[in-house]
Amino acid sequence: MKSVVSGLARLSRGAPWAVVVVTLLLTGLFGYFAGLIEIASGNEGFAPEGPEISASERIAEKFGEESSESTLQVLVRDEGGDVITVEGLRVANRVAEVTRSGLGDQVSDRTERPGVFHYLSSVSQAMEAQGLALESMTDEMVKALYIEAIDGDGEFGAPPEQVSFLTRLVSEDFDPEAGTASGGMVLAFVSPFEGVDADAAFQNQVDAEEALAEDLRGIDTDLEINPFSFPLLLTGVDDFT
């Protein structure tokens, strides 16, 4: 560092006007780039283009940004494959069960919507209404019930206000004709945790969701299970990070 400072000092004595001109040019250049910086607060500050953040924003728009609840997203994925299948349904149901068990009373159920639901919840409801067991289902039957729900036709068609949201719970590569998608979402709405103060309450939520994430990743399946939430961003890192 000392040699750098000494070199700059010699250069300033030998060609002062050149140093001034270069300094002004660099100041103008850096000032131009500084004007292009976008400052973001909240979740989007972590990953402004992140699909998880975009999903959180859409969920907030759908269910109310002023709610004190937070959301836990669990992505069930078969990259290059299909999750609108019997296995996809089994895993989605299992994820929902483990989530309810892990979060307990913190799962926020409401009259207008359950505290945990997934991309194939409409299929599960139709199966229950018909008395169908998972063991009796085929991939084609799962696809048929899902397509019937999002088409809004037939006995098990979803209401119009739910159709658009159901289709957003599957990946963008969803093929409505073939009834295939490589990914689907499980959503859980979480009530605020209790604690001696706000920091302790939040830490309790971080600990609970970290333990839940480990349980979810331990589900026996070849499908990928990837949980995401804002508290999970803060697990396994120190305060500085």
Side-chain angles (χ1 to χ4, degrees), residues 187-200:
L187 288 182
F189 294 88
V190 185
S191 298
F193 277 62
E194 295 182 353
V196 294
D197 55 31
D199 289 341

Side-chain angles (χ1 to χ4, degrees), residues 4 9 16-17 20 27 32 46 54 56 68-70 85 88 102-103 114 117 119 127 170 176 180 196 220:
V4 173
W17 286 109
V20 171
T27 300
Y32 169 76
F46 285 95
S54 299
S56 294
S68 60
E69 300 169 351
S70 60
T85 60
L103 296 179
F117 62 92
Y119 68 105
M127 289 172 56
V170 293
T180 60
V196 294
D220 184 19

Side-chain angles (χ1 to χ4, degrees), residues 122 146 148-163 166:
S122 59
Y146 179 74
E148 182 178 349
I150 64 173
D151 282 347
D153 300 326
E155 182 180 357
F156 302 106
E161 64 273 12
Q162 294 183 11
V163 171
L166 282 174

Side-chain angles (χ1 to χ4, degrees), residues 5 81 106 142 145 150 187:
V5 173
Q106 299 305 132
V142 172
L145 288 176
I150 64 173
L187 288 182

